[in-house]
Amino acid sequence: MELNAEDWSAVWLTLKLATLVTLILLVVGTPIAWWLARSRSRIKGVVGAVVSLPIVLPPTVLGFYLLVLMGPQGAVGRATEALGLGRLPFTFAGLVVASVIYSLPFVVQPIQNAFMALGDRPLEVAATLRCSPLAAFFKVALPLARPGFITAAILGFAHTVGEFGVVLMIGGNIPDKTRVISMQIYNHVEVLEFGQAHGLAAGLLVFSFVVLLGLYALGGNGGGTAGGRP
């Protein structure tokens, strides 16, 4: 069935959200992944567990606590209001923040695995050539870990596209602001518009299949996966 204007608005908002979240995650997740891959700190396990928590935590639970933190009585909410930024819940900015936290492990883990697969030898060789640690990171580690970054970008983007529970708790269901594809499908089903719901759901089904197919192909070429998953 042909998509209506509200459906297309949800599609474009979802793509905008997923693209922005993926870019932020690649910037934020890279140093975290590097530290987890190289550090021997005693708190490494704790940090790794915190980063991976969204994988096992129900999205509604994560969304609830983020809502509390970002609300008027929460620490984050009071801080944003004091800075003149207003409240984050039920805004696109709040949806971005929540999505970054929710999809963080799906970006950090593939990059971390790629960094760990490098071993110490390439960096040791770079050091013997008088390459500084920072230069070795950008000129040696990053290029060699490229397949992990590709996997991370694909997983982060796809995971953000398919989220529902966190969106419902933090973003709500505001047209043109926080109503993404998953919420639009829910809206159609709620009013028994199964044809419209099928159009969007089938699109997500095809998208998910293509993502998994690409990840399997990438994994076959040494791309690596998040936490051992495709």
Side-chain angles (χ1 to χ4, degrees), residues 125-218:
V125 172
T128 61
L129 298 175
R130 297 183 180 180
C131 196
S132 68
L134 186 62
F137 175 76
F138 283 104
K139 294 182 179 180
V140 178
L142 287 186
L144 291 177
R146 186 188 309 171
F149 280 89
I150 296 174
T151 301
I154 294 173
L155 280 176
F157 188 91
H159 193 250
T160 304
V161 167
E163 66 185 56
F164 177 77
V166 171
V167 170
L168 180 63
M169 298 297 289
I170 297 296
N173 194 7
I174 306 174
D176 300 322
K177 289 184 67 177
T178 62
R179 182 180 291 174
V180 293
I181 293 177
S182 57
M183 289 303 307
Q184 186 67 0
I185 293 174
Y186 177 80
N187 291 338
H188 285 312
V189 173
E190 200 172 34
V191 295
L192 304 180
E193 294 176 349
F194 295 114
Q196 293 282 3
H198 172 69
L200 291 172
L204 282 183
L205 178 62
V206 173
F207 171 75
S208 300
F209 176 77
V210 171
V211 166
L212 289 174
L213 192 64
L215 287 175
Y216 274 115
L218 183 62

Side-chain angles (χ1 to χ4, degrees), residues 18-94:
T19 301
L20 182 57
V21 167
T22 301
L23 292 175
I24 294 173
L25 281 172
L26 288 174
V27 174
V28 173
T30 298
I32 297 175
W34 178 255
W35 185 84
L36 288 172
R38 307 292 299 178
S39 176
R40 296 181 181 179
S41 172
R42 293 182 180 180
I43 66 169
K44 176 180 176 179
V46 176
V47 175
V50 171
V51 170
S52 301
L53 197 58
I55 294 178
V56 296
L57 195 65
T60 50
V61 174
L62 178 62
F64 169 73
Y65 282 113
L66 289 176
L67 185 62
V68 171
L69 282 173
M70 296 179 184
Q73 303 303 320
V76 176
R78 286 196 292 265
T80 55
E81 289 192 338
L83 294 172
L85 301 176
R87 299 175 185 175
L88 291 177
F90 311 115
T91 66
F92 182 77

Side-chain angles (χ1 to χ4, degrees), residues 3 5-17 179-181 184 200:
L3 302 183
E6 289 187 353
D7 294 334
W8 281 115
S9 175
V11 169
W12 291 122
L13 185 64
T14 302
L15 294 177
K16 176 184 175 182
L17 174 67
R179 182 180 291 174
V180 293
I181 293 177
Q184 186 67 0
L200 291 172

